[in-house]
Amino acid sequence: EMEYIGSDKTELASKCMANLVEARKSLSLFQHHDGITGTAKDHVVLDYGEKMLNSINLLQEVISHSSNFLLTKSKANFKPNLQTTYFDLDDTRSAAWSVPSKTVIQVDHPDMPNRVVISNSHARRRQEMVSIRVSKPDVRVYYMNMIEDEEEEE
């Protein structure tokens, strides 16, 4: 059984671990021969779809909370709020069988900057075009570079 061994941030670790365990259980179900071969009954396929969507949502929550913690400057003083969504991923689904829709970043005031974090989840350097959907056409994009714990605009 998976468990977190440590004394700090136990609430965050417990929540993330519970989500990972639940998603892992669903993965083992999907790897069952009926799930792979397509011989499952219709009601079972519908149940698989709901479980898969739930697992995706749980794992996105783990990514959100983990990213927020890792990007926090003062980890010793970090107080997680597990009810807050810190990061939205690029697509969402309303139902297991629906087509995913892209997230639109709402830009309300030009004087109130929004921060967008783009993460490379691969273990290698990548160079590719990234598209972001925003609610207004007149948006300026800046690259923020961290130099000695100070943000430098480029």
Side-chain angles (χ1 to χ4, degrees):
E1 180 170 315
M2 295 172 62
E3 64 179 290
Y4 169 76
I5 300 173
S7 60
D8 60 341
K9 318 298 183 265
T10 54
E11 184 182 11
L12 174 62
S14 296
K15 175 72 172 163
C16 289
M17 191 59 65
N19 288 359
L20 289 171
V21 168
E22 185 64 31
R24 189 187 70 192
K25 286 178 184 177
S26 294
L27 175 62
S28 67
L29 178 68
F30 306 142
Q31 291 175 333
H32 184 266
H33 67 89
D34 285 344
I36 293 172
T37 62
T39 58
K41 304 246 186 245
D42 288 347
H43 70 281
V44 174
V45 172
L46 293 174
D47 186 51
Y48 280 3
E50 292 300 323
K51 286 186 184 331
M52 185 175 292
L53 178 62
N54 184 51
S55 295
I56 289 170
N57 291 336
L58 290 174
L59 293 174
Q60 286 180 339
E61 192 175 306
V62 170
I63 292 168
S64 172
H65 287 297
S66 300
S67 299
N68 183 50
F69 175 73
L70 292 171
L71 291 171
T72 301
K73 288 182 183 179
S74 177
K75 292 180 181 35
N77 297 325
F78 179 76
K79 302 264 190 275
N81 181 353
L82 299 178
Q83 310 310 316
T84 302
T85 300
Y86 295 102
F87 293 93
D88 286 331
L89 279 79
D90 59 349
D91 62 352
T92 57
R93 292 177 188 264
S94 57
W97 310 109
S98 65
V99 175
S101 60
K102 292 291 184 188
T103 301
V104 176
I105 298 171
Q106 295 298 319
V107 180
D108 297 324
H109 299 283
D111 299 333
M112 295 270 303
N114 289 347
R115 182 168 289 201
V116 177
V117 177
I118 300 172
S119 173
N120 177 7
S121 60
H122 296 265
R124 60 180 170 78
R125 186 178 175 149
R126 296 177 9 186
Q127 183 175 350
E128 63 186 69
M129 176 81 71
V130 176
S131 61
I132 300 171
R133 294 178 182 246
V134 293
S135 61
K136 295 189 177 188
D138 54 342
V139 174
R140 282 186 264 166
V141 177
Y142 297 97
Y143 172 75
M144 302 301 282
N145 193 15
M146 295 295 288
I147 299 176
E148 297 179 18
D149 290 333
E150 296 291 324
E151 290 181 348
E152 182 179 282
E153 188 176 294
E154 291 184 20

